[in-house]
Amino acid sequence: MLSMPSHTPSPQGDSRQTPVLLISMPFGLLDYPSLALGLLQGSLQPLQIPTSTLYFTFKFAEMVGSIFYQQIAKGRPMIQDFIGEWIFSAALFAENSETEAYIRNVVYGDMECHNTIYKTGKGITEDFIQDILAARAKTELFLSECVEEILQHNPAIVGFTSVFQQHVASLALAKRIKARSPETCIMMGGANCEGIMGVELIKQFSFVDVVVSGEGDQIFPDLVKRILAGQSISHLQGVYTRRNVQLLTAGKSIMNTPSIRNLDALPFPLFDDFFEQLSRTSIRQTITPGITFETSRGCWWGEKHHCTFCGLNGSTMTYRSKTAQRAMEELLYLTNSYPDCAISVVDNILDMKYFKDFIPSLAALPGNLRLYYEVKANLRKEQVKSLREAGILMIQPGIESLSNHVLDLMRKGVKGLQNIQLLKWCKEYEVDVTWNLLCGFPGEDPAEYRHMGEILPLLTHLRPPSGIAPIRLDRFSPNYDEAKEHGFYNVRAYPSYQYIYPFSPEIINNLAYFFIYDYADERDVASYTLPIAQFMVMWHQQHRKSQLFFLDYQEYLMIWDLRPVATEALVILTGLQRSLYIFCDTIRNHHHLQQFVTEHATPEEEGKPFEEFLEPLIQKGLMLQDGHSYLSLAVQRRRESERLTQPAVKQLQA
């Protein structure tokens, strides 16, 4: 049982009391409040339990500089280096003598797994190294100031959210709070505390009283009431204490908290503390704040087919979404409460039912919303148009390959041609796309990458991927859970963890989320993907001046080709060839095309196979054929809204 803390005045003599403090530590993002903490704070409001959220992210960014801070917070140069965690490790554990080894092996990337797959280096400068070391030297002062501020509130409960690189800083502060105020209940939750990671956390760090594994929304109010009343909490599902964690038997599944089923029952998140503290920070002019917005949880595709590389925990995969009315009410609340802020939707995937209600409602709103959503790549053209009209101007559609074979290994449920089709339609409707290529799946055929290398030069008019990278093994992914079956062996935590935690490999493996591996077939992924990586560099350079679009004048169609691979700058199509090209703006198969020819051919064109019309366009790189499927590559433009980039205009004039 956890006892109720005595609420004596703090050492500073301040009589204020905030029973519950919620903490966001470095390296949480500076420009967005924590949605998790905003929801938890909102859940206590009906209970009239005074609660505050402290964003110590701002304090540390002031100390180390906001530019450097944001680099680390956004996982640069590589998230698996855990630079933010290492910066605080000496404040949690005794200073070790491996600083030079960490900098050399991990940050510079002398260890192969901490470098790029092509060993091109990470662009690390000596100034960046000095910034890391300077930040590490400031952690003690920072943590001391945080402790003093917390003790002024005389809290009964201090709760930490821990995602990405917030873990070690949170533990270092928790350790100091417990030393100064032993009766304060230290609670931790978040992605870093899920499953075995949370269980190992409470085993190794005696100053942590409670770990919540899974969604905290339903259980948090009851948990707080019980702790404040001095009641037992060890029987609560998904809540781990030193008492009940000893009862877990080897091989027994670790239960998460019950997931909330009705998302409409969630409170509106409270972000007032974030904006109030932002207004007082000396670095506020360097921060453009946004707000996070949630309309669903889980993944409707992953429920049926868990993508092999996806690290979403299966116990929270069940898809749930808010009703359109509730989603709109919350959006209006957020935009009215926190005006002029960019809105980032944190859903794993867009609810397709929203195309019937929520998205049309967004389109009807006055003003210019700029929303970001994750979607599945099998959208129809009218749906992309609807996204644009609704102000959803950036999407992440999970385009991880253009190879059908590799996509099947991922269990993505789409074809490469569908991914290209979506890129084309997004270009037409000016919806920005974030995507990347993943490689290194056991069983993938290197010939697929040679074929991809033939296709990519035809796509330089479309948004390029951010890069190409080998898959990482994330905890909870099928690749991790069934590593041997998927062709991985010798799975172990990234080496960076050993420079952070002075524990045995077994304990580190339990605390880790990111893992490295060897291939059962000893494949050399870099050797067959290097040409793709090299072409991507050129793609980024060529993209702004590369254009492929068509204008339709009813009787004839003009295709302007300003790509580096163009064989003709202007191609004019008439008759059935024109009609077929427009028809193939959407992927069409043999049956569709033959039927179209039968219905639309003139007497002079009757009897001719559709291949006779399309093959010349394929040879010119204006269309793609994948088996029995065909897709036009030129982006449709309307004459009245025609816009070209300046480099493209110069090419036309030339």
Side-chain angles (χ1 to χ4, degrees):
M1 181 183 296
L2 292 168
S3 59
M4 172 74 173
S6 59
H7 297 302
T8 55
S10 66
Q12 289 74 16
D14 193 329
S15 60
R16 290 181 301 164
Q17 179 182 317
T18 309
V20 180
L21 284 183
L22 303 175
I23 310 294
S24 179
M25 288 293 283
F27 279 82
L29 293 176
L30 294 178
D31 38 6
Y32 285 92
S34 166
L35 178 60
L37 296 185
L39 287 169
L40 294 182
Q41 187 173 0
S43 72
L44 295 184
Q45 199 172 46
L47 303 180
Q48 297 184 325
I49 298 174
T51 307
S52 294
T53 302
L54 299 180
Y55 286 88
F56 288 131
T57 49
F58 297 133
K59 181 187 291 289
F60 197 60
E62 287 178 324
M63 288 183 167
V64 303
S66 60
I67 295 176
F68 170 76
Y69 182 100
Q70 287 284 56
Q71 277 186 293
I72 305 303
K74 294 180 179 179
R76 296 170 184 153
M78 297 173 74
I79 181 64
Q80 56 266 36
D81 292 349
F82 291 117
I83 293 173
E85 300 285 66
W86 183 82
I87 284 172
F88 277 91
S89 61
L92 178 59
F93 307 105
E95 176 71 64
N96 61 54
S97 59
E98 293 195 275
T99 294
E100 184 179 338
Y102 173 78
I103 296 297
R104 183 180 66 253
N105 292 331
V106 176
V107 182
Y108 277 117
D110 280 8
M111 281 185 169
E112 187 174 313
C113 59
H114 282 288
N115 207 321
T116 66
I117 186 176
Y118 310 108
K119 301 179 179 63
T120 53
K122 296 153 72 175
I124 303 298
T125 65
E126 182 59 30
D127 286 345
F128 183 63
I129 298 299
Q130 292 306 313
D131 286 341
I132 293 172
L133 298 176
R136 186 172 166 95
K138 294 173 181 175
T139 56
E140 285 293 348
L141 174 61
F142 164 74
L143 292 167
S144 296
E145 292 182 1
C146 292
V147 170
E148 297 306 322
E149 185 171 343
I150 286 171
L151 292 180
Q152 288 176 8
H153 291 269
N154 196 22
I157 300 169
V158 176
F160 292 87
T161 181
S162 180
V163 297
F164 295 111
Q165 299 188 80
Q166 291 184 295
H167 211 48
V168 177
S170 297
L171 288 168
L173 180 56
K175 181 179 181 180
R176 286 158 175 76
I177 296 169
K178 202 68 172 178
R180 293 282 299 276
S181 180
E183 293 186 341
T184 297
C185 174
I186 302 296
M187 185 186 305
M188 292 189 68
N192 290 331
C193 303
E194 198 163 354
I196 188 63
M197 297 183 292
V199 169
E200 196 64 59
L201 165 65
I202 206 156
K203 285 181 178 179
Q204 299 303 324
F205 301 99
S206 60
F207 48 84
V208 177
D209 298 300
V210 182
V211 169
V212 178
S213 174
E215 297 177 5
D217 307 278
Q218 285 197 144
I219 209 163
F220 186 66
D222 185 41
L223 184 58
V224 168
K225 286 191 296 183
R226 286 177 173 276
I227 293 173
L228 293 180
Q231 299 173 350
S232 175
I233 61 171
S234 294
H235 66 287
L236 297 176
Q237 179 181 319
V239 175
Y240 295 97
T241 66
R242 277 185 299 283
R243 171 174 293 185
N244 66 17
V245 80
Q246 303 303 326
L247 302 177
L248 291 174
T249 57
K252 183 178 179 181
S253 62
I254 297 170
M255 299 289 288
N256 269 1
T257 56
S259 296
I260 188 166
R261 308 299 303 175
N262 178 17
L263 296 193
D264 284 7
L266 289 170
F268 288 167
L270 299 179
F271 297 143
D272 292 7
D273 288 344
F274 171 85
F275 284 96
E276 190 276 328
Q277 291 164 50
L278 173 62
S279 71
R280 291 190 281 110
T281 182
S282 62
I283 57 172
R284 60 186 177 277
Q285 298 302 326
T286 68
I287 299 170
T288 303
I291 49 177
T292 46
F293 173 49
E294 176 185 53
T295 57
S296 71
R297 292 184 184 176
C299 178
W300 52 261
W301 175 255
E303 271 189 288
K304 300 176 290 185
H305 307 282
H306 194 170
C307 295
T308 57
F309 61 89
C310 172
L312 281 180
N313 191 335
S315 66
T316 56
M317 188 75 77
T318 302
Y319 192 67
R320 301 143 285 159
S321 64
K322 295 173 182 174
T323 61
Q325 180 180 347
R326 166 53 204 266
M328 181 57 66
E329 288 173 355
E330 184 169 333
L331 180 62
L332 293 175
Y333 157 78
L334 290 171
T335 54
N336 290 331
S337 300
Y338 314 106
D340 303 320
C341 287
I343 301 169
S344 181
V345 185
V346 298
D347 300 25
N348 294 311
I349 193 167
L350 174 69
D351 189 341
M352 298 300 284
K353 295 195 300 291
Y354 280 173
F355 282 105
K356 297 178 180 178
D357 41 35
F358 182 56
I359 289 176
S361 298
L362 286 175
L365 289 177
N368 295 313
L369 283 176
R370 293 183 61 86
L371 298 178
Y372 164 91
Y373 254 105
E374 293 193 26
V375 301
K376 192 166 172 60
N378 60 350
L379 296 179
R380 300 190 304 273
K381 186 170 186 176
E382 63 267 23
Q383 291 173 330
V384 177
K385 183 173 183 285
S386 295
L387 294 178
R388 170 70 194 187
E389 293 170 344
I392 300 172
L393 304 182
M394 179 178 287
I395 61 172
Q396 202 280 78
I399 298 175
E400 275 92 20
S401 184
L402 302 180
S403 159
N404 295 340
H405 166 64
V406 177
L407 289 166
D408 286 344
L409 291 174
M410 298 180 188
R411 300 181 192 159
K412 290 296 293 186
V414 295
K415 300 296 184 183
L417 217 53
Q418 286 177 285
N419 287 336
I420 296 169
Q421 175 179 258
L422 180 61
L423 289 171
K424 182 184 68 167
W425 289 341
C426 286
K427 172 84 170 181
E428 177 177 343
Y429 289 109
E430 297 181 302
V431 174
D432 201 5
V433 184
T434 301
W435 67 291
N436 67 309
L437 289 175
L438 295 180
C439 60
F441 289 83
E444 68 182 15
D445 187 348
E448 292 293 312
Y449 291 88
R450 291 194 292 273
H451 178 59
M452 209 182 303
E454 297 169 356
I455 293 174
L456 294 183
L458 306 179
L459 308 180
T460 55
H461 61 301
L462 305 178
R463 167 66 69 182
S466 57
I468 181 171
I471 52 169
R472 183 185 62 214
L473 249 60
D474 292 358
R475 186 181 294 281
F476 306 123
S477 69
N479 280 340
Y480 175 81
D481 289 338
E482 306 152 13
K484 185 177 180 180
E485 294 85 340
H486 284 275
F488 302 101
Y489 79 99
N490 193 23
V491 174
R492 66 272 189 203
Y494 261 91
S496 50
Y497 286 105
Q498 73 189 37
Y499 294 101
I500 297 165
Y501 297 105
F503 299 140
S504 68
E506 180 183 4
I507 292 173
I508 289 176
N509 279 349
N510 286 342
L511 291 170
Y513 183 81
F514 296 148
F515 297 84
I516 60 173
Y517 52 85
D518 296 318
Y519 289 106
D521 60 8
E522 300 182 346
R523 64 179 50 240
D524 181 5
V525 177
S527 66
Y528 60 80
T529 60
L530 179 59
I532 302 293
Q534 292 171 331
F535 180 78
M536 283 187 185
V537 175
M538 291 187 288
W539 191 347
H540 279 269
Q541 295 169 346
Q542 297 168 352
H543 174 60
R544 285 200 70 244
K545 60 182 180 181
S546 183
Q547 297 279 346
L548 176 64
F549 65 92
F550 73 84
L551 295 169
D552 184 32
Y553 294 87
Q554 301 303 316
E555 293 183 1
Y556 60 93
L557 180 145
M558 300 176 68
I559 302 176
W560 292 94
D561 191 354
L562 306 179
R563 299 170 299 171
V565 297
T567 58
E568 299 176 57
L570 176 62
V571 176
I572 298 176
L573 306 182
T574 60
L576 189 57
Q577 191 177 42
R578 164 196 163 273
S579 301
L580 281 168
Y581 195 81
I582 295 172
F583 185 58
C584 288
D585 182 56
T586 298
I587 297 168
R588 307 294 182 181
N589 62 31
H590 272 205
H591 173 72
H592 296 140
L593 291 166
Q594 198 56 60
Q595 184 176 358
F596 186 88
V597 169
T598 301
E599 294 174 355
H600 294 84
T602 63
E604 294 79 13
E605 296 164 334
E606 283 182 2
K608 294 182 179 180
F610 68 84
E611 291 93 342
E612 184 175 326
F613 299 95
L614 299 187
E615 186 59 33
L617 303 178
I618 294 170
Q619 293 302 316
K620 288 182 170 68
L622 302 176
M623 293 190 73
L624 276 177
Q625 178 185 0
D626 180 17
H628 296 302
S629 298
Y630 295 77
L631 176 69
S632 300
L633 291 178
V635 176
Q636 184 175 4
R637 291 187 180 271
R638 280 78 178 175
R639 280 164 287 168
E640 63 274 13
S641 61
E642 175 64 18
R643 289 194 297 170
L644 293 175
T645 62
Q646 285 302 312
V649 170
K650 290 179 181 178
Q651 278 187 274
L652 279 174
Q653 292 172 341

